[in-house]
Amino acid sequence: KLKALQYPYWDKFDSKDVKAYRTLVAWLEETKIRHYTIKQRLPLRTIEKEPEWNATFVSYLQELGCPIDDSKAASQHALSSQSDMEYVMDWLLSKAVSLEYNDRKEEYNRRKPPWKNETVSVECDLRDPAVRESIQE
């Protein structure tokens, strides 16, 4: 999903790295999801501020409709485990892919798979007994 979304560091992303995780969240909001206004995005971009970032992130997830545990969200511990972090990131990436498709669906729907663009022509002599035999089989 990271590669499909053209995330610049798709091949280096480590979901266990908090800074990388927060950077990706900010990038997704800035470039793909765009739920917040530019001014509202500032707290998501301020990845170094621990409690403020967490509070903003939990609020952000709730506004987007991310199915996170309400009790964890209320205590601002939506990402209390690695599996929670991976679940939320997968959800955000899926949301971003969906929004990207909706933004450009006409372009994507006009595209043909590479194999459909090729014209294949085969020459054969229908008078050749071997060709006739293979056609009849």
Side-chain angles (χ1 to χ4, degrees), residues 10-123:
W10 66 269
D11 57 339
K12 297 174 184 74
F13 178 72
D14 177 7
S15 65
K16 294 176 184 139
D17 178 343
V18 174
K19 185 176 180 181
Y21 191 94
R22 291 176 178 186
T23 300
L24 176 56
V25 168
W27 182 86
L28 286 170
E29 172 54 25
E30 288 280 341
T31 61
K32 305 298 176 182
I33 298 174
R34 301 180 309 272
H35 176 72
Y36 283 163
T37 64
I38 293 171
K39 189 174 182 178
Q40 289 173 311
R41 294 176 192 160
L42 183 60
L44 281 178
R45 282 190 243 130
T46 316
I47 63 173
E48 310 299 331
K49 293 188 176 183
E50 188 70 32
E52 294 90 350
W53 194 91
N54 288 341
T56 300
F57 187 53
V58 168
S59 175
Y60 177 68
L61 293 174
Q62 290 173 321
E63 287 180 36
L64 289 176
C66 179
I68 57 174
D69 185 327
D70 286 338
S71 63
K72 289 180 182 179
S75 65
Q76 298 179 4
H77 294 291
L79 305 176
S80 59
S81 72
Q82 185 62 32
S83 64
D84 288 344
M85 289 179 69
E86 290 172 2
Y87 171 80
V88 167
M89 183 54 70
D90 187 58
W91 188 89
L92 281 172
L93 291 170
S94 296
K95 176 99 174 154
V97 167
S98 175
L99 291 169
E100 178 76 7
Y101 172 76
N102 283 331
D103 285 350
R104 300 171 64 189
K105 64 185 166 195
E106 291 177 15
E107 175 189 341
Y108 290 137
N109 289 340
R110 278 194 311 266
R111 290 184 182 173
K112 293 181 183 175
W115 55 269
K116 283 192 172 183
N117 291 333
E118 297 176 10
T119 303
V120 178
S121 83
V122 177
E123 291 186 31

